[in-house]
Amino acid sequence: MTDRPSINRLSAQELHDIDAYWRAANYLTIGQIYLLDNPLLREPLRLEHVKPRLLGHWGTSPGLSFIYAHLNRVIRQRDANVIYVCGPGHGGPAMVANTYLEGSYSEINPDVATGEAGMKKLFRQFSFPGGIPSHAAPDVPGSIHEGGELGYALSHAYGAAFDNPDLIVACVVGDGEAETGPLATSWHSNKFLNPACDGAVLPILHLNGYKIANPTILARIPEDELRALFIGYGHEPLFVEGDDPATMHERMAVVLDDAFDRIRAIQDAARSSAKSLQSRPKWPMIVLRTPKGWTGPKEVDGLKTEGFWRAHQVPLSGLAENPAHLKMLEEWMRSYRPEELFDAAGAPVAAIRATAPEGERRMSANPHANGGLLRRSLDLPSLAKHAIAMVRPGDVKAESTRAMGAYLRDVMALNQGARNFRIVGPDETASNRLQDVFEVTERAWMEKILPEDVHLGREGRVLEILSEHTCQGWLEGYLLTGRHGFFSCYEAFTHIVDSMFNQHAKWLDACRKLAWRRPVASLNYLLSSHVWQQEHNGFSHQDPGFIDVALNKKADVVRVYLPADANSLLCVTDHVLQTWNRINVIVAGKANSWQWLSIDEAKVHCNAGIGIWGWASTDGGAEPDVVMACAGDVPTLETLAAVQILKRHIPDLKIRLVNIVDLMTLQPKEHHPHGLSDREFDALFTSDKPVIFAYHGYPWTIHRLTYRRTNHDNIHVRGYNEEGTTTTPFDMTVLNGLDRYHLVLGVLDRIPELTGAHIQLKQAMEGKLIEHRAYIREHGQDMPEILGWKWEG
């Protein structure tokens, strides 16, 4: 690009002020790492001034603050709208230092004021019991990315930029982080970013050469390979490298202006002419190469430290045993000339305060980094419009997720102008039967579009890439900056983002404790193509365990829904799109299956989360002989089929059918806000009758949720027992003992008065299992009585 504006070099005073800001940030960072109790070094450093338990990380901090200082200058001069994503792990002290210099940290935490007493509190709270973490956690204003687990910074950054046309997300990627799979894939996010209607991401790859104890790959490969790599990714890399601060400040200022000019030129061209969108732009990125532990001790005990892995955590350790190290720490801190940086009261001097932007232009006060400030409720369509019409239970079939897709289509259409709703998924939107959304939008795609391509568009609002990590990262970044969305995925492979799920759940939990963090829209999963509908894909696709991952998180954050039919799924979808600060997991099949509840019945049932289906029960509202419980669409079908067999052969048996939509209702009320009290639970499941429970996932999950209940010993759960193969849908239930025949046998085995009295029925069920096995091996499909089964209620 040759027509970008010329670059004005900074004056000596401007460079001096940036350097002073950077030195102040470095000084504050070291004070936190060493828990310094002598904030302004008004006297020589003594052992009682530091804590021997050193928990901080210095290696990446100088580079993080260097970038922050230079971004502040650009923001101030251009009135730019910028947020900062800190990818390197343990970047917390540097980020806190910069937010403290900007003043936002003290605004949120008045007890950590800008002065000597506040600085002392700032230092003493870091990585200390009752204090703050060593990462850029929710406690850090301006953060949307913790950095505790590496690999997600860039996908978070792009998620923040989608549909934010005025926002620039500066994303620092550490060279250790760059070795992770999720980060490596997320470089391709630029193929989905539309300069006409999205914001921009400025990746800054920070190469300081080392991880904890090893060199990093990208720092060691030849520069021509590194350049070629990022050109191949579709970026235009700009290099800043060196170790002399004065030279580096000048070079960084020039390159940063160049990058911002290139971004503006790309956006101006795209927004002035639709024709310019026929090809994907080459977005700039910066490769910043600085020594590990820059400006720290060159050597410690005769061993190389700056520019080597020894600078990764704390260059100076064992202070209690080594007075020489204590002296080196003092010399190190005094090298930043704190007397020039802070006034007599301990506050940053005027020149440093003037270097930072003002108000919401401060990266630490930007509302996009506290997305709940910008969150607006979605306009939602009428449920009645999308309801599956039915006269009685089991009189019509439908694909539940297809009904959901039509509903999401209208959500997309109603919120098209607001541009605040997206669907993400790994190439499975249509596979999971959500393809109706393509009636109102396309898949986002900035690469070449061929004439034969379908549903690809520059302004598409569905994001698909075959990387669950990137999908999750995009959606998290989108939600954390104030918008809404849905993640559709095959159930078995949602496990790929187990760890990302954990991190987001922890983020939301931490935010609940911070009054200034406003609630963001919930992260909503649809898990489809589930364990019971993977007959052709086989064992590798059969795993319902993501539910168990979710249940490990705090009750305040997680919800799990198992709607049994399309109308129940519609009600659950409508509900979760109105929630905030939660992770909602919905499991629903896409197969054409029988429908059970009208939309009005589904609203009542889903609102309660659990209930007796009187139309399928035979207890007449009295005490039952047995409770048949079910959670999930296939378990519900098999339970109803078992009830029908029992009704036909033992008409006097009093059966109560209980269906569970909201799995968390099974927990005690004191453990989960949706949980049932013991009295409510016993009213449904009785206190002494056998309960045959057909469950979608692993059986022990139900035992875990109900182990304190009065009747727990009588609860007998059938679910997925890690038995699977390439087989028919019904055979999957047989392999795991979840089928109707095994459920009937379970009832016969656990009601004493039936033992022996109905031996013929027991033999018939065992015979059906033998017949089934032989039939599918001869015909390759389930028996006609299975395929043609219909509720006769």
Side-chain angles (χ1 to χ4, degrees):
M1 188 177 297
T2 58
D3 58 346
R4 59 183 184 277
S6 60
I7 299 167
N8 296 317
R9 296 187 180 275
L10 302 190
S11 68
Q13 185 61 51
E14 288 174 313
L15 291 171
H16 175 273
D17 291 345
I18 290 173
D19 182 68
Y21 185 100
W22 179 52
R23 285 186 285 122
N26 288 340
Y27 183 89
L28 293 172
T29 300
I30 299 166
Q32 293 175 76
I33 291 173
Y34 287 89
L35 301 174
L36 199 66
D37 202 16
N38 181 12
L40 293 173
L41 296 178
R42 297 190 187 278
E43 55 183 290
L45 201 56
R46 299 193 304 272
L47 186 59
E48 60 265 29
H49 292 148
V50 297
K51 277 284 181 184
R53 188 162 63 92
L54 305 175
L55 301 171
H57 284 62
W58 167 248
T60 62
S61 296
L64 293 174
S65 293
F66 180 81
I67 295 165
Y68 207 105
H70 279 271
L71 286 170
N72 274 346
R73 190 270 306 174
V74 172
I75 293 168
R76 198 179 64 256
Q77 290 187 349
R78 297 171 180 250
D79 191 31
N81 187 10
V82 181
I83 63 173
Y84 188 115
V85 172
C86 172
H90 299 285
M95 302 308 293
V96 169
N98 283 279
T99 63
Y100 180 78
L101 289 175
E102 287 184 326
S104 57
Y105 196 89
S106 298
E107 291 166 10
I108 291 169
N109 304 283
D111 58 327
V112 189
T114 51
E116 186 170 0
M119 194 188 301
K120 180 176 178 180
K121 179 71 178 292
L122 181 80
F123 291 170
R124 299 287 290 178
Q125 70 179 1
F126 174 74
S127 269
F128 199 74
I132 61 174
S134 64
H135 302 100
D139 310 72
V140 181
S143 174
I144 65 165
H145 174 83
E146 169 126 1
E149 182 176 339
L150 301 179
Y152 315 136
L154 201 53
S155 56
H156 282 161
Y158 277 95
F162 290 132
D163 296 320
N164 262 333
D166 298 325
L167 184 66
I168 295 178
V169 186
C171 180
V172 185
V173 177
D175 47 357
E177 179 185 21
E179 296 179 5
T180 65
L183 196 289
T185 303
S186 62
W187 290 111
H188 290 297
S189 300
N190 58 0
K191 284 78 173 178
F192 301 86
L193 193 74
N194 187 331
C197 50
D198 296 327
V201 174
L202 177 60
I204 303 172
L205 176 64
H206 184 208
L207 300 178
N208 61 28
Y210 294 90
K211 305 184 284 286
I212 294 175
N214 279 289
T216 56
I217 294 170
L218 294 185
R220 286 288 178 94
I221 64 174
E223 186 171 302
D224 60 340
E225 288 186 15
L226 185 67
R227 186 185 300 273
L229 176 68
F230 287 104
I231 290 173
Y233 275 137
H235 286 286
E236 191 167 358
L238 309 172
F239 288 78
V240 180
E241 49 190 84
D243 59 4
D244 175 60
T247 303
M248 289 290 284
H249 283 308
E250 186 170 356
R251 173 64 179 158
M252 185 65 173
V254 169
V255 167
L256 206 52
D257 275 334
D258 189 5
F260 271 71
D261 286 344
R262 290 171 189 263
I263 289 170
R264 174 55 61 86
I266 289 169
Q267 291 178 335
D268 286 349
R271 295 170 189 182
S272 62
S273 170
K275 187 177 181 180
S276 63
L277 289 179
Q278 297 307 305
S279 61
R280 172 179 51 81
K282 290 277 190 182
W283 293 97
M285 66 166 291
I286 294 174
V287 179
L288 173 66
R289 193 188 298 268
T290 66
K292 188 86 165 178
W294 191 19
T295 71
K298 306 291 184 187
E299 290 186 354
V300 176
D301 299 333
L303 298 174
K304 180 178 174 65
T305 301
E306 185 191 58
F308 198 55
W309 58 259
R310 291 190 185 91
H312 179 77
Q313 292 181 313
V314 286
L316 299 167
S317 58
L319 300 183
E321 299 81 26
N322 196 331
H325 283 195
L326 188 65
K327 189 176 189 318
M328 289 181 69
L329 175 59
E330 180 176 352
E331 292 171 351
W332 177 17
M333 295 196 70
R334 290 193 187 279
S335 73
Y336 297 112
R337 307 191 298 280
E339 66 279 2
E340 298 177 6
L341 309 175
F342 304 99
D343 61 23
V349 298
I352 288 178
R353 295 197 302 272
T355 301
E358 297 180 352
E360 292 185 350
R361 280 296 188 247
R362 295 173 294 175
M363 289 184 286
S364 56
N366 192 307
H368 291 284
N370 188 5
L373 294 170
L374 304 175
R375 178 178 61 90
R376 299 292 179 268
S377 298
L378 290 171
D379 289 330
L380 298 177
S382 164
L383 284 176
K385 174 183 174 183
H386 296 282
I388 302 299
M390 52 187 296
V391 177
R392 64 186 65 86
D395 68 347
V396 65
K397 281 188 171 183
E399 295 170 304
S400 294
T401 56
R402 187 180 292 274
M404 181 189 195
Y407 178 86
L408 292 177
R409 173 201 63 206
D410 287 1
V411 174
M412 191 77 77
L414 288 170
N415 296 278
Q416 198 83 287
R419 298 188 66 84
N420 65 343
F421 179 74
R422 292 229 182 191
I423 294 173
V424 304
D427 191 31
E428 292 161 7
T429 305
S431 176
N432 285 331
R433 305 293 190 268
L434 304 181
Q435 63 264 42
D436 282 0
V437 299
F438 296 130
E439 295 175 11
V440 296
T441 189
E442 310 287 0
R443 298 180 180 92
W445 189 252
M446 292 302 297
E447 291 298 333
K448 184 178 181 180
I449 299 178
L450 302 177
E452 60 267 29
D453 285 331
V454 294
H455 301 311
L456 295 181
R458 305 302 187 202
E459 296 190 21
R461 308 195 51 71
V462 175
L463 295 165
E464 289 191 338
I465 184 173
L466 199 50
S467 164
E468 285 84 355
H469 289 117
T470 305
C471 291
Q472 172 98 7
W474 284 345
L475 184 54
E476 286 179 2
Y478 198 69
L479 300 175
L480 290 169
T481 47
R483 284 75 64 75
H484 304 256
F486 237 101
F487 184 1
S488 165
C489 187
Y490 280 16
E491 181 183 44
F493 303 125
T494 316
H495 272 303
I496 292 169
V497 298
D498 278 2
S499 191
M500 293 187 77
F501 170 95
N502 290 338
Q503 296 299 320
H504 190 67
K506 291 175 185 293
W507 178 279
L508 293 178
D509 182 56
C511 287
R512 286 174 173 271
K513 302 176 179 69
L514 300 170
W516 59 273
R517 282 276 183 189
R518 301 301 297 274
V520 297
S522 297
L523 172 56
N524 301 309
Y525 291 96
L526 168 67
L527 311 188
S528 195
S529 299
H530 60 52
V531 58
W532 305 110
Q533 296 171 353
Q534 289 298 333
E535 58 276 7
H536 65 288
N537 283 320
F539 198 31
S540 64
H541 285 54
Q542 295 160 355
D543 190 316
F546 190 75
I547 292 174
D548 300 275
V549 175
L551 292 178
N552 287 331
K553 296 301 135 191
K554 284 192 176 177
D556 287 342
V557 174
V558 172
R559 304 287 186 270
V560 177
Y561 298 97
L562 293 161
D565 65 358
N567 285 337
S568 299
L569 177 58
L570 287 171
C571 292
V572 168
T573 305
D574 182 75
H575 167 70
V576 300
L577 288 175
Q578 299 177 67
T579 65
W580 56 88
N581 272 16
R582 293 180 191 165
I583 302 178
N584 298 304
V585 179
I586 306 171
V587 185
K590 63 186 183 182
N592 197 35
S593 55
W594 293 112
Q595 302 299 300
W596 312 116
L597 302 180
S598 70
I599 192 64
D600 290 333
E601 291 168 333
K603 287 177 183 178
V604 174
H605 184 50
C606 292
N607 184 61
I610 187 171
I612 298 170
W613 283 3
W615 53 268
S617 303
T618 63
D619 60 349
E623 185 79 354
D625 297 316
V626 64
V627 176
M628 304 285 283
C630 46
D633 47 13
V634 169
T636 298
L637 171 66
E638 291 306 308
T639 299
L640 287 166
V643 168
Q644 191 157 284
I645 293 170
L646 289 167
K647 285 171 63 177
R648 184 183 306 123
H649 291 275
I650 316 175
D652 294 333
L653 184 67
K654 291 182 289 187
I655 304 168
R656 175 181 296 171
L657 191 144
V658 176
N659 181 264
I660 297 94
V661 177
D662 181 351
L663 199 61
M664 316 313 276
T665 58
L666 298 178
Q667 286 192 284
K669 196 171 188 67
E670 58 269 24
H671 291 170
H672 196 285
H674 288 194
L676 298 178
S677 67
D678 285 339
R679 182 178 179 182
E680 292 169 325
F681 189 92
D682 291 346
L684 288 173
F685 294 97
T686 78
S687 59
D688 59 356
K689 297 298 189 295
V691 178
I692 309 301
F693 200 128
Y695 171 55
H696 174 87
Y698 291 105
W700 46 87
T701 301
I702 300 302
H703 289 297
R704 171 185 165 191
L705 294 173
T706 62
Y707 80 100
R708 288 188 175 181
R709 299 299 192 176
T710 305
N711 199 29
H712 175 257
D713 289 347
N714 264 332
I715 297 177
H716 308 281
V717 187
R718 293 184 175 273
Y720 184 66
N721 289 313
E722 207 64 27
E723 294 291 341
T725 185
T726 301
T727 187
T728 69
F730 183 69
D731 192 48
M732 270 297 296
T733 65
V734 172
L735 289 173
N736 290 277
L738 183 69
D739 62 282
R740 60 199 68 181
Y741 304 133
H742 276 106
L743 294 177
V744 170
L745 288 170
V747 172
L748 297 178
D749 287 343
R750 289 179 176 85
I751 299 183
E753 55 269 30
L754 295 182
T755 303
H758 295 280
I759 190 67
Q760 290 182 334
L761 178 57
K762 184 175 183 178
Q763 290 175 341
M765 297 298 97
E766 292 170 344
K768 283 296 180 184
L769 291 170
I770 295 171
E771 180 185 353
H772 153 77
R773 180 179 175 83
Y775 188 92
I776 63 170
R777 276 156 180 74
E778 180 178 353
H779 299 280
Q781 64 179 5
D782 288 319
M783 296 185 296
E785 66 191 77
I786 301 298
L787 296 176
W789 180 86
K790 185 172 172 45
W791 175 250
E792 297 173 354

